[in-house]
Amino acid sequence: MNRLLFYVPCVKFTDLMRETLWHQQKLSRVLDRGIRIGVIVKCVDGEGYDLASSVLHGSLISGERITLSVNGVTSNYLVMKHHVSVITQNMGLTDINTVFIRVYGDIDWDEPLRFRCGDVKITERLERDKCPLNMCNLIFNLGRPVAPGSTFSYNYSFNLYYYPPRDYFSVDILNNIKDILIRIPRSYGVNGRISLGNVELTGHGSVRTSVSKKYNIVHGILLAPPGTLKIPIQIRA
């Protein structure tokens, strides 16, 4: 593949056809698959394609913490806020200026995603028509370039719906993750209970589960892409 495709952002479909010499249908299939697995993103103007920042730069997530909390309860569903904190090291040869974030599932469209990195604070409305198949691929500017070898941190939050008696939460492994800790509440309301099913990991790494006084805990170590960490959640009223 021509080197141009790796270094020029927002390459148009017609330019990709010319550079790859692929048929239109083949290129469409490859781009669609790249978007689904997180290595390609559509540009904001909708007129081009770019590599996801994790692919372009190469980074190591040294620590990621995801904490779920119940924000709303009805007889049919729970609304849970997901707060994600990430510590990342730039392992590439160029500066990192942006991060790629994916949110998917039964999204609470009334609650925006809130992103923070240092002094940068962004409130991003999640819109159904911009998130095909309930999958939102987002790119956020860090506000400063992060040099190779340097470490930076950011956090974000969003809401998802969960439906009893059994739903699930999953994490796409798009970067190397040294350590990830996911905490899911054990109870809600007066008598509601939440427990975990058998956690599934595709790809490299190890994962174990435990229980504390307040949380069901999933701990993953040395996870490598591509892969998915799928956590079945059992909800009892």
Side-chain angles (χ1 to χ4, degrees):
M1 187 178 291
N2 193 295
R3 194 178 296 267
L4 169 72
L5 303 182
F6 288 93
Y7 293 102
V8 178
C10 296
V11 181
K12 292 183 178 181
F13 188 89
T14 52
D15 292 335
L16 288 169
M17 285 186 62
R18 184 177 62 251
E19 294 293 338
T20 61
L21 301 178
W22 288 349
H23 188 274
Q24 178 179 347
Q25 291 180 347
K26 177 180 179 179
L27 180 57
S28 293
R29 288 196 301 269
V30 171
L31 291 172
D32 288 344
R33 177 168 174 77
I35 290 171
R36 286 198 303 272
I37 66 177
V39 298
I40 294 174
V41 294
K42 275 191 174 182
C43 297
V44 175
D45 59 10
E47 295 185 358
Y49 300 84
D50 196 4
L51 291 174
S53 60
S54 59
V55 178
L56 180 60
H57 298 287
S59 57
L60 168 68
I61 295 177
S62 56
E64 183 169 358
R65 300 292 180 265
I66 305 174
T67 301
L68 280 61
S69 58
V70 178
N71 267 23
V73 179
T74 74
S75 59
N76 297 319
Y77 60 79
L78 304 182
V79 178
M80 284 203 262
K81 179 175 287 294
H82 300 59
H83 185 82
V84 183
S85 298
V86 182
I87 301 174
T88 304
Q89 184 177 10
N90 182 359
M91 304 296 288
L93 301 176
T94 61
D95 290 350
I96 289 179
N97 295 283
T98 60
V99 293
F100 171 74
I101 292 173
R102 166 177 290 169
V103 175
Y104 61 94
D106 294 308
I107 297 170
D108 179 1
W109 303 106
D110 294 325
E111 176 67 18
L113 184 144
R114 304 178 192 277
F115 173 88
R116 180 169 185 174
C117 179
D119 295 330
V120 176
K121 297 180 182 179
I122 300 173
T123 299
E124 181 78 14
R125 182 183 175 189
L126 303 178
E127 300 181 61
R128 197 186 304 267
D129 60 345
K130 295 182 180 179
C131 300
L133 302 177
N134 285 10
M135 181 179 291
C136 301
N137 293 318
L138 308 167
I139 296 177
F140 291 100
N141 198 300
L142 299 173
R144 63 179 179 86
V146 178
S150 298
T151 299
F152 63 99
S153 61
Y154 60 94
N155 63 76
Y156 59 97
S157 63
F158 58 94
N159 284 1
L160 294 180
Y161 289 95
Y162 288 85
Y163 297 90
R166 192 174 189 270
D167 210 325
Y168 72 93
F169 172 61
S170 64
V171 178
D172 286 346
I173 304 166
L174 304 178
N175 299 77
N176 289 294
I177 303 176
K178 184 177 180 181
D179 185 278
I180 182 171
L181 189 71
I182 302 170
R183 300 186 298 180
I184 299 169
R186 296 182 61 192
S187 63
Y188 66 93
V190 178
N191 297 313
R193 295 290 180 266
I194 300 174
S195 59
L196 303 184
N198 294 324
V199 174
E200 302 173 20
L201 173 65
T202 60
H204 299 284
S206 64
V207 61
R208 61 182 175 84
T209 61
S210 60
V211 177
S212 70
K213 184 176 181 180
K214 293 184 178 181
Y215 294 102
N216 301 287
I217 298 173
V218 179
H219 190 192
I221 297 177
L222 299 179
L223 308 185
T228 302
L229 179 59
K230 184 175 181 179
I231 305 168
I233 298 176
Q234 298 171 346
I235 303 169
R236 300 189 302 276

